[in-house]
Amino acid sequence: MARWGSYDFSDLEKMAKSFKKALDERVIDRFIEDFLLEMAYRANRKIKKRTPVGVDTESPGNLRRNWKVSRVERVGRSFQIDNYNDTYYAIFVEYGHRTGKDLTKWVEGQFMMTISMQEIERELPRYLDRRMAELLNNIMNGRPARR
């Protein structure tokens, strides 16, 4: 009969316990929620910088001030968060609109949200890699995840 030798699995068992503890304490869920909030607020800052401050509106700066970030919600197995603006004319500034007495002129959209979200999508992998490495390091070394 072949002899396979002896192995020390204590480090593997320690790692398994660390992952089990992280799952039990919802560390991964909190990590996802925190990361989504961070990205949503980064996007919100970009959107606000791009949003024009209209001087011909009833309240200059109203559109820029009204950008908000929702709470993170769990929808099934997914998480959802929204950047939104409930100012009634926000969609017209974003995508453009007709104007003039006979609605034959066109005002181009500013695409402040569209452009900002495209930037965030390009930046996201870099942020996610850094944060995931930090999370894994914390789990492996028994440190709590940052909150």
Side-chain angles (χ1 to χ4, degrees):
M1 185 107 197
R3 184 170 166 102
W4 292 93
S6 64
Y7 297 97
D8 180 14
F9 291 104
S10 62
D11 286 339
L12 191 58
E13 289 169 351
K14 181 182 170 187
M15 184 176 70
K17 285 179 185 176
S18 295
F19 280 116
K20 172 128 178 50
K21 181 180 177 193
L23 283 174
D24 291 345
E25 294 175 1
R26 296 189 60 242
V27 171
I28 308 299
D29 286 353
R30 285 196 324 265
F31 167 80
I32 293 169
E33 290 171 8
D34 289 348
F35 184 74
L36 289 174
L37 269 172
E38 179 183 340
M39 290 296 104
Y41 279 110
R42 282 179 187 274
N44 193 275
R45 285 191 299 273
K46 288 176 178 285
I47 294 166
K48 282 183 177 183
K49 283 181 184 177
R50 282 194 171 84
T51 301
V53 178
V55 292
D56 59 341
T57 61
E58 64 275 355
S59 176
N62 190 43
L63 184 61
R64 183 178 285 182
R65 274 190 306 276
N66 282 330
W67 284 107
K68 297 175 183 91
V69 174
S70 72
R71 292 176 24 181
V72 177
E73 292 183 28
R74 188 152 195 172
V75 181
R77 293 178 54 112
S78 300
F79 291 88
Q80 179 177 321
I81 189 166
D82 294 311
N83 262 304
Y84 65 97
N85 191 321
D86 51 16
T87 305
Y88 75 92
Y89 56 87
I91 195 165
F92 303 117
V93 177
E94 174 72 10
Y95 297 113
H97 58 93
R98 294 190 184 283
T99 189
K101 192 186 284 187
D102 53 0
L103 299 178
T104 56
K105 297 178 183 168
W106 180 256
V107 175
E108 289 295 323
Q110 297 295 310
F111 300 102
M112 58 266 180
M113 182 178 228
T114 303
I115 294 168
S116 298
M117 294 310 294
Q118 289 170 346
E119 283 181 4
I120 288 293
E121 286 176 17
R122 284 192 303 270
E123 297 168 1
L124 193 130
R126 181 173 42 111
Y127 292 121
L128 186 57
D129 285 347
R130 189 179 72 229
R131 291 285 304 275
M132 282 179 55
E134 180 183 308
L135 173 69
L136 189 56
N137 187 28
N138 288 344
I139 290 172
M140 297 300 291
N141 293 312
R143 292 187 298 248
R146 72 176 182 175
R147 190 71 164 127

